[in-house]
Amino acid sequence: MNDSRVQDKFVIRLPDGLRPEIAAVASRNHRSMNSEIIHRLERSFSLERVLDQKNRVIAQLLDRITELEAKH
């Protein structure tokens, strides 16, 4: 159940100009401002996880390249 009375509530102060920007993007995406903010927060966490994973792979590849270069 997605009852707003039992969900966590959080008050946020937005910098000048950000509210209308969020409102415009939310309208284009057919979402409420609240839904747009939640969507973007969730997306940022997801992208951060993907970036962390890619950085780990890159580090492993660089280590492997260093190992291979040391053998020659």
Side-chain angles (χ1 to χ4, degrees), residues 2-3 6 11-12 14 17-18 23 25-27 30 32-33 35 37 41 50 52 54 56 59 61-62 64 68 71:
N2 206 6
D3 189 344
V6 296
V11 176
I12 185 169
L14 299 173
L18 189 54
V25 172
S27 179
H30 307 288
S32 67
M33 286 181 58
S35 293
I37 292 167
L41 283 170
V50 169
D52 287 346
K54 288 183 178 190
R56 283 192 300 275
L61 290 171
L62 290 173
R64 183 64 178 138
L68 292 171
K71 289 182 180 181

Side-chain angles (χ1 to χ4, degrees), residues 7-71:
Q7 291 180 343
D8 286 339
K9 295 184 191 266
F10 183 79
V11 176
I12 185 169
R13 290 182 292 279
L14 299 173
D16 289 343
L18 189 54
R19 183 183 176 91
E21 188 173 352
I22 294 169
V25 172
S27 179
R28 281 196 306 269
N29 291 330
H30 307 288
R31 290 192 268 260
S32 67
M33 286 181 58
N34 187 73
S35 293
E36 186 67 34
I37 292 167
I38 290 169
H39 170 77
R40 287 173 176 259
L41 283 170
E42 288 173 338
R43 184 168 175 240
S44 72
F45 290 127
S46 176
L47 290 173
E48 189 173 349
R49 285 189 296 273
V50 169
L51 183 59
D52 287 346
Q53 181 182 4
K54 288 183 178 190
N55 285 337
R56 283 192 300 275
V57 170
I58 290 169
Q60 290 171 347
L61 290 171
L62 290 173
D63 287 346
R64 183 64 178 138
I65 289 169
T66 301
E67 289 173 15
L68 292 171
E69 286 176 339
K71 289 182 180 181

